[in-house]
Amino acid sequence: MTIRPGFGLAIVGLGASLAPLDIAVNVALPAITAHFKLALGDVQWLVICYVLVYGSLMLVCGKLGDLFGHRLIFRIGLAISALGCAACAAAPDWGLFLWARGAQGIGTALALSCTPALATSLFPESERTKALAGFASSMAIAAAVGPFLGGVLVELWGWPAVYWVRVPIALATLALSGLLPSPKPDSRPFDALGAVLLAACMSTLLLSLVFSQRREVAGLWALALAAVAVFLLVAYVRRANSVPEPIIRPSLFADPRFTIPNVLNALANLAGFAILLLTPYYLVNVLKLSPLGVGIVLAMAYGGSLTGAPLSAFLVARIGQRPTVFAGVACVGLGLLPLGFTEINTPVLVVAALLVLEGVGQGLLTVAYTDIVTATLPPRDRGVAGSLSLLTRTIGIVAGASVLTALQAHGAQGFMNMAGFLAGYRFAFVAAGGGLLVVLLTSLLWPGVWSSQPRSRRRS
């Protein structure tokens, strides 16, 4: 049975929405803390368990999709996600809750890693960027809805509802996913040892970033984990260079035209995370907005992404992928930097406009950057390509939690109370936005990184 591309994309987008809808959990954190009688610091493991699992498994799951079929891995991920969310909602104690969050992370890694590949498989190759724009739009919509949905669900039915609500979404997508195309399994071998090394490297790296922002953990632990991550990376590179079919070829990153867009995507997400991490406090404590007002203003960034994604597809077709990525990163930096000069009397509309600009930049960047990665890797590795684009975003966000917290604390030194927060807030945004623009301009030193080239050229 042949499915209409638009309907198929809606199915894929519905499944992918399970990940950004996890933002609703942030609204439920106070209720979860009270229910399990946790210390404030302990509740952060709810986020850590989830991010560590799906971030470390993303590339491996993308490879599994390439070998055994993206639809199959997607469907397994949906089933595990449904079970994981139900287990979180019904967990009788904190320990079982964390195990359930880990299971949810496995489901997210399996399902999400294959969604970009499934999206592009629904359209002709000439419309690949259109498919990626539709996929990015569905993620932005889910991210915008998440905080509002979380608030309503917690208010009406309590914190378990933020997990229960995703069970029918996962099951409905699972039922409809049988309509998606299902190519035959690939006969290439799966490098199990390489997968273990790569997953261990990613999990150790992410854990080191998490520990670096936790005051109760000695800084030596973060450094030790970072050193272990480097060791595992070296071991993976040696392994990958000795087998015919590695999870991802390290030689790809020897080309600045491939590496620099990956680095800038991570840095743009690092810098952009300041909006979710710091801006809510600015809106509540400085501008004195209500929770509803905060939600509306923060949604402006995702509204910008909804505009930026289709605009990216339009620009890629006319000026190319790389100039569009450059423009996207520039918009992110130019949206963030002026936020570092906001005051107590800054109009809310000015803040909202800057968030829209940052969101447009993220939309431009996400689609065009994913298109670069997809075009660089061979078609048989579409799962790895899609999962790599999602992994760099995850690394950026996790690193952002550490870096931005440190920047805010540094900027607040010497000030008291609200003046200290505002000084730290402004310093963090100037450093994040300005630093991103400096790195972007520095990348111009590498000739040809941002020049357009025919999309048909791929690395074999």
Side-chain angles (χ1 to χ4, degrees), residues 17 143 206 290 311 377 437 445:
S17 71
L206 292 171
S290 66
L311 179 60
L377 274 70
L437 292 173
L445 297 175

Side-chain angles (χ1 to χ4, degrees), residues 191-276:
D191 180 21
L193 177 57
V196 171
L197 289 171
L198 188 58
C201 174
M202 289 296 101
S203 61
T204 307
L205 172 63
L206 292 171
L207 191 58
S208 71
L209 293 172
V210 168
F211 278 0
S212 68
Q213 60 179 298
R214 296 180 65 84
R215 295 181 179 179
E216 69 273 20
V217 179
L220 185 61
W221 279 106
L223 290 175
L225 286 169
V228 171
V230 171
F231 172 80
L232 291 169
L233 177 61
V234 171
Y236 171 75
V237 170
R238 294 185 63 180
R239 170 69 182 180
N241 288 332
S242 66
V243 297
E245 191 61 41
I247 304 298
I248 187 170
R249 296 189 181 280
S251 59
L252 286 167
F253 297 93
D255 183 359
R257 285 177 60 84
F258 183 74
T259 300
I260 289 176
N262 279 280
V263 171
L264 277 166
N265 186 60
L267 292 178
N269 280 282
L270 184 159
F273 189 62
I275 291 174
L276 283 178

Side-chain angles (χ1 to χ4, degrees), residues 70-392:
H70 302 120
R71 189 182 74 173
L72 174 62
I73 301 303
F74 178 62
R75 301 188 80 186
I76 293 173
L78 291 171
I80 295 176
S81 292
L83 291 172
C85 286
C88 285
D93 58 60
W94 181 237
L96 289 175
F97 180 90
L98 292 181
W99 279 106
R101 278 292 276 180
Q104 188 193 351
I106 294 173
T108 297
L110 288 164
L112 192 62
S113 63
C114 293
T115 47
L118 282 170
T120 55
S121 72
L122 294 163
F123 291 79
E125 189 65 14
S126 60
E127 298 183 23
R128 183 181 68 224
T129 313
K130 176 182 176 181
L132 293 174
F135 171 74
S137 296
S138 68
M139 296 282 280
I141 291 172
V145 168
F148 295 105
L149 181 63
V152 171
L153 292 173
V154 172
E155 183 70 23
L156 293 178
W157 295 293
W159 69 265
V162 301
Y163 292 101
W164 283 125
V165 74
R166 281 177 283 176
V167 175
I169 295 175
L171 294 178
T173 308
L174 180 61
L176 293 170
S177 62
L179 300 174
L180 297 173
S182 178
K184 295 180 180 179
D186 198 314
S187 60
R188 291 176 292 161
F190 177 68
D191 180 21
L193 177 57
V196 171
L197 289 171
L198 188 58
C201 174
M202 289 296 101
S203 61
T204 307
L205 172 63
L206 292 171
L207 191 58
S208 71
L209 293 172
V210 168
F211 278 0
S212 68
Q213 60 179 298
R214 296 180 65 84
R215 295 181 179 179
E216 69 273 20
V217 179
L220 185 61
W221 279 106
L223 290 175
L225 286 169
V228 171
V230 171
F231 172 80
L232 291 169
L233 177 61
V234 171
Y236 171 75
V237 170
R238 294 185 63 180
R239 170 69 182 180
N241 288 332
S242 66
V243 297
E245 191 61 41
I247 304 298
I248 187 170
R249 296 189 181 280
S251 59
L252 286 167
F253 297 93
D255 183 359
R257 285 177 60 84
F258 183 74
T259 300
I260 289 176
N262 279 280
V263 171
L264 277 166
N265 186 60
L267 292 178
N269 280 282
L270 184 159
F273 189 62
I275 291 174
L276 283 178
L277 183 69
L278 301 174
T279 300
Y281 297 97
Y282 170 76
L283 296 175
V284 171
N285 298 326
V286 179
L287 297 188
K288 306 300 182 183
L289 297 188
S290 66
L292 177 60
V294 172
I296 292 172
V297 173
L298 290 179
M300 294 296 101
Y302 299 111
S305 296
L306 284 173
T307 302
L311 179 60
S312 183
F314 175 84
L315 291 176
V316 166
R318 284 153 182 81
I319 65 175
Q321 306 155 325
R322 295 175 184 277
T324 304
V325 168
F326 189 93
V329 177
C331 286
V332 172
L334 292 172
L336 295 173
L337 181 59
L339 288 170
F341 298 94
T342 51
E343 297 283 0
I344 295 177
N345 57 354
T346 300
V348 174
L349 288 178
V350 171
V351 176
L354 292 172
L355 296 184
V356 169
L357 177 59
E358 191 274 343
V360 169
Q362 293 286 2
L364 291 173
L365 168 62
T366 298
V367 175
Y369 156 72
T370 305
D371 202 35
I372 288 177
V373 176
T374 303
T376 302
L377 274 70
R380 65 180 187 174
D381 286 335
R382 285 288 163 87
V384 172
S387 57
L388 175 62
S389 65
L390 295 166
L391 177 61
T392 54

Side-chain angles (χ1 to χ4, degrees), residues 256-258 260-261 264 322 372 443-444 446-452:
R257 285 177 60 84
F258 183 74
I260 289 176
L264 277 166
R322 295 175 184 277
I372 288 177
S443 69
L444 293 171
W446 280 267
V449 167
W450 301 117
S451 63
S452 186

